[in-house]
Amino acid sequence: MKKMKNIFKTIALVLFAGTTLVSCDLDLLPLDSIVVENYWKNKDDVENVLRSCYVGMMEDCISKMITWGEVRSDNVDVGQNVPLNLQQLIKGNLKQTNAACNWSSFYTVINRCNVVIDKSEQVKDPVDPNYTESDCRATQAEAKGLRALCYFYLIRTFKDVPYVKEPSYDDSQDFVIPVTPHEEILDDLIKDIEECKDQAVNKFPDEKKNSGRITRVALYSLLADMYLWRASDANLPQGQQEEFYRKAIQCADFVIKFKQNQYKVDEKGNLNSQMDSYVYGQYGYPLLAERQTSGGTETPQAYKKIFEQGNSYESIFELTFGQNASDPKNT
């Protein structure tokens, strides 16, 4: 009998332990999952999501940018092996049934930017003393610049598109959103960048980041382009068109002055040998020399530095890849 009592006690203990373990398991988090509440705790968390915005642009957005910009231009002719969707695009078919017009990758990047803008606020000092108010504003300016660039490509290609500035975190949100007139979107983008342009990083320590990430001069360049686009609207009163052109000139002047000062400072002393001395002497614009002579052989220096090597002095913003397309080195 005593033996039976011991067996029942053992069974009861095992059952109790099993019940306890089950209740504990309900509170455990999957090892391969990140809970939002436990993520946004420091500057690195913000940087990692901001980096994902650039990575997203490198995956599908960049091919769409080239397709939408070049395929419909006079620079491209239809060959024998051109896919049907591109043939339709060249003919002006922008319907959603055309895979070449799929804009989902742009909205993926846009949502990541919206998340950074929303969540970066809760990370700054005192949560992370190393992430100051100015750091937060610079991060948001960078994310707003990328978001504006994505929308700028969308409205130039499709005109009226869905305009979303709030982040989505789960499937409970409404993803069926009506389009917004492209003029309203462009006006709001201009307002956004005007408000944050001087909060962006002026210069990164790493030269590649200066052209591989959104900086202050990149925002001014983007503004100049958006003002030009807005000014080209023939439906605007002449006075308003002229005002937009003046704004574009002001932004362009900022960029020119920035590059002139960068050349004059020349912290590493390696720009002078690369520049076209005649153009700089005659007009004051520091531009890369078109050709370079070495050992009696001429090479196309400017083209090589801008389009082959990348991250050149003349570059304002470019998506910077590593050795492989899957190895981004922009951050």
Side-chain angles (χ1 to χ4, degrees):
M1 186 69 181
K2 184 178 181 181
K3 185 177 181 181
M4 290 296 294
K5 286 182 178 179
N6 288 337
I7 291 174
F8 284 128
K9 286 180 180 179
T10 303
I11 294 173
L13 180 61
V14 170
L15 289 174
F16 176 76
T19 304
T20 305
L21 287 173
V22 170
S23 65
C24 289
D25 285 345
L26 292 175
D27 296 327
L28 291 177
L29 300 174
L31 295 177
D32 60 347
S33 298
I34 298 176
V35 179
V36 173
E37 290 77 6
N38 296 336
Y39 185 73
W40 299 93
K41 299 298 183 183
N42 55 59
K43 182 177 181 179
D44 289 339
D45 293 340
V46 178
E47 281 289 316
N48 287 335
V49 181
L50 181 60
R51 185 181 294 112
S52 76
C53 298
Y54 289 97
V55 173
M57 293 192 73
M58 294 177 187
E59 292 171 344
D60 181 63
C61 289
I62 190 169
S63 63
K64 289 294 195 303
M65 291 173 180
I66 295 171
T67 300
W68 297 342
E70 293 296 323
V71 170
R72 294 185 296 149
S73 72
D74 294 334
N75 297 327
V76 177
D77 290 327
V78 180
Q80 295 181 351
N81 299 318
V82 176
L84 179 61
N85 61 339
L86 293 184
Q87 292 182 32
Q88 293 296 315
L89 183 65
I90 293 171
K91 295 177 181 178
N93 177 0
L94 300 181
K95 295 181 179 179
Q96 62 181 5
T97 52
N98 186 347
C101 300
N102 189 316
W103 60 30
S104 60
S105 57
F106 280 79
Y107 282 98
T108 296
V109 174
I110 287 168
N111 189 60
R112 291 177 186 177
C113 292
N114 289 340
V115 169
V116 171
I117 295 166
D118 180 50
K119 289 295 184 180
S120 57
E121 285 285 344
Q122 73 182 48
V123 179
K124 64 186 181 183
D125 189 23
V127 174
D128 183 357
N130 294 317
Y131 191 56
T132 64
E133 178 72 28
S134 61
D135 290 333
C136 181
R137 296 293 162 252
T139 297
Q140 293 183 352
E142 196 170 346
K144 288 179 180 179
L146 284 173
R147 181 177 67 182
L149 184 62
C150 287
Y151 274 123
F152 195 33
Y153 270 96
L154 287 171
I155 62 176
R156 284 182 294 177
T157 305
F158 301 102
K159 295 186 71 175
D160 304 342
V161 299
Y163 189 46
V164 184
K165 297 177 69 176
E166 298 298 324
S168 60
Y169 294 106
D170 54 58
D171 294 337
S172 64
Q173 293 173 253
D174 183 11
F175 293 100
V176 182
I177 301 170
V179 298
T180 299
H182 64 281
E183 300 93 345
E184 292 182 21
I185 296 176
L186 189 51
D187 285 340
D188 196 59
L189 294 178
I190 289 173
K191 177 177 177 291
D192 255 359
I193 304 305
E194 278 286 4
E195 291 175 350
C196 73
K197 66 181 188 300
D198 293 320
Q199 298 171 347
V201 172
N202 193 48
K203 185 178 184 296
F204 286 101
D206 186 342
E207 288 185 3
K208 285 189 175 181
K209 288 184 179 181
N210 281 323
S211 53
R213 289 180 63 167
I214 295 292
T215 58
R216 189 174 302 175
V217 71
L219 293 183
Y220 273 88
S221 300
L222 178 58
L223 266 178
D225 205 356
M226 291 195 296
Y227 275 126
L228 282 175
W229 193 265
R230 195 69 182 95
S232 66
D233 186 349
N235 295 319
L236 290 177
Q238 184 176 350
Q240 198 169 0
Q241 285 182 303
E242 292 175 353
E243 178 61 22
F244 284 136
Y245 280 125
R246 279 193 293 271
K247 292 284 188 181
I249 292 171
Q250 290 172 4
C251 292
D253 284 342
F254 177 91
V255 176
I256 293 170
K257 186 176 180 180
F258 178 90
K259 300 304 289 186
Q260 288 172 328
N261 289 338
Q262 182 182 350
Y263 175 69
K264 290 175 182 177
V265 173
D266 193 10
E267 295 174 348
K268 297 188 177 181
N270 60 0
L271 292 178
N272 185 57
S273 61
Q274 304 177 37
M275 296 299 135
D276 188 319
S277 56
Y278 175 79
V279 172
Y280 185 71
Q282 291 291 316
Y283 307 105
Y285 299 128
L287 298 175
L288 294 171
E290 287 292 329
R291 308 191 70 81
Q292 182 181 38
T293 303
S294 178
T297 304
E298 279 194 344
T299 57
Q301 177 174 283
Y303 184 90
K304 182 177 181 180
K305 287 185 179 295
I306 296 171
F307 298 107
E308 183 179 332
Q309 296 176 355
N311 302 115
S312 73
Y313 161 79
E314 286 193 23
S315 177
I316 300 296
F317 174 69
E318 61 187 79
L319 292 174
T320 306
F321 293 85
Q323 294 297 318
N324 301 307
S326 60
D327 179 28
K329 298 295 185 182
N330 62 297
T331 55

